[in-house]
Amino acid sequence: MTFAAQILTLYPEMFPGPLGTSLAGRALAEGTWSCDPIQIRDFATDKHRSVDDTPAGGGAGMVLKPDVIASAVDHALARQPDSPVLAMTPRGRPLTQQRVRELAAGPGITLLCGRFEGFDERIFEGRPIEPVSIGDFILSGGETAAIIVLDACIRLLPGVMGAASSGDDESFETGLLEYPHYTRPQLWEGRAIPEVLRSGDHAKIAAWRKQRAEEDTRLRRPDLWERYVGARDQSPSGARQKKKD
Ligand code: SAH
């Protein structure tokens, strides 16, 4: 089954962009996913084909008009009624690997890309749209955010990553950052690969990796660590299950 991606954007030429190369590019060519950019401006109704207007209450920049956005979203929903519509906005809920997994397991996705100061807020009441942020920083437009959301989903589609890795070990899948990796040369600029990784003792290696995953998460991402410890202490068996032994 093809994972169908629709992108509502003022810059359709930005897609598939980087997703046309490497793993995602091959998956696109093979029909594992499809990429349908839709020009928001096609839904403008005035003779200037305007999509934005000045902000109510004053201030800099322009705001995307709710009537035009609603028509574009309605068009996308008519084509793919079962795909969730995600609007790219720094005011949205931060994207998580768990949400990415849910999206990738579904029939597809419709991504709404903002520009200028973003969307008229009423669009979120008037249509079933999930506001999503990719992090606490501001991009110039939603297209690069949409590419990130798509990339995260596509790599999880069946067959895209190949049999070598299911991705179960990656950072966040366990609630922790992943352990650090090393490869040859054994000695690089005077720095050696940790001895345990050359021991061949799989139990010892697993224990070392778990310890490093926990330590690095605690030091680098106290927010993740707190949640992880909370879940672990609340339900030890649940935490162990989540970690997928
Ligand atoms: N004035 C807005 C930012 C607008 S940036 C605010 O302060 O909230 C222009 C567009 O870029 C947004 O509409 C959104 O589509 C996209 N964008 C910027 N940063 C983003 C982020 N962190 N996550 C998702 N989309 C983002």
Side-chain angles (χ1 to χ4, degrees):
M1 226 186 53
T2 300
F3 180 83
Q6 302 187 109
I7 307 104
L8 302 172
T9 170
L10 290 168
Y11 299 95
E13 65 277 14
M14 288 177 77
F15 297 88
L19 299 177
T21 58
S22 189
L23 290 182
R26 195 173 61 209
L28 181 61
E30 287 170 352
T32 308
W33 69 288
S34 63
C35 182
D36 266 312
I38 296 167
Q39 172 57 269
I40 291 173
R41 201 171 292 283
D42 291 346
F43 299 88
T45 49
D46 65 351
K47 69 171 193 278
H48 303 294
R49 302 220 303 155
S50 43
V51 295
D52 56 339
D53 207 334
T54 53
M62 298 293 272
V63 178
L64 288 164
K65 287 159 61 63
D67 49 342
V68 176
I69 296 296
S71 298
V73 169
D74 289 345
H75 171 79
L77 277 170
R79 295 179 73 205
Q80 283 179 221
D82 298 327
S83 295
V85 182
L86 275 60
M88 303 296 102
T89 165
R91 285 167 43 82
R93 191 175 303 130
L95 187 68
T96 61
Q97 186 62 16
Q98 188 192 334
R99 185 72 187 114
V100 167
R101 280 217 174 264
E102 290 164 8
L103 293 168
I109 193 173
T110 297
L111 297 168
L112 174 57
C113 304
R115 280 275 157 178
F116 324 121
E117 290 306 318
F119 309 100
D120 183 306
E121 188 66 15
R122 291 170 293 178
I123 193 69
F124 297 104
E125 294 156 26
R127 293 295 181 278
I129 299 176
E130 177 183 335
V132 170
S133 166
I134 62 149
D136 292 344
F137 41 80
I138 305 294
L139 305 167
S140 56
E143 288 76 13
T144 43
I147 284 169
I148 285 170
V149 175
L150 280 173
D151 183 10
C153 291
I154 291 162
R155 63 185 286 281
L156 295 180
L157 299 176
V160 173
M161 282 195 295
S165 163
S166 64
D168 285 350
D169 261 1
E170 313 272 14
S171 294
F172 312 120
E173 294 286 1
T174 57
L176 295 171
L177 301 179
E178 200 187 33
Y179 51 81
H181 295 283
Y182 299 87
T183 188
R184 281 180 287 268
Q186 167 58 23
L187 197 65
W188 174 73
E189 294 191 351
R191 295 169 176 87
I193 294 176
E195 198 51 46
V196 58
L197 297 179
R198 299 206 306 153
S199 67
D201 183 334
H202 295 297
K204 245 175 148 175
I205 292 170
W208 180 87
R209 285 179 166 167
K210 177 160 184 280
Q211 186 251 320
R212 279 302 302 266
E214 292 187 345
E215 185 180 319
D216 290 352
T217 305
R218 186 170 55 78
L219 293 174
R220 295 176 183 192
R221 292 293 303 272
D223 55 325
L224 289 183
W225 179 245
E226 225 163 85
R227 213 177 314 149
Y228 174 78
V229 171
R232 191 185 57 182
D233 292 352
Q234 227 175 22
S235 152
S237 58
R240 212 173 304 132
Q241 252 172 30
K242 248 177 78 190
K243 276 191 272 165
K244 204 163 194 309
D245 312 284

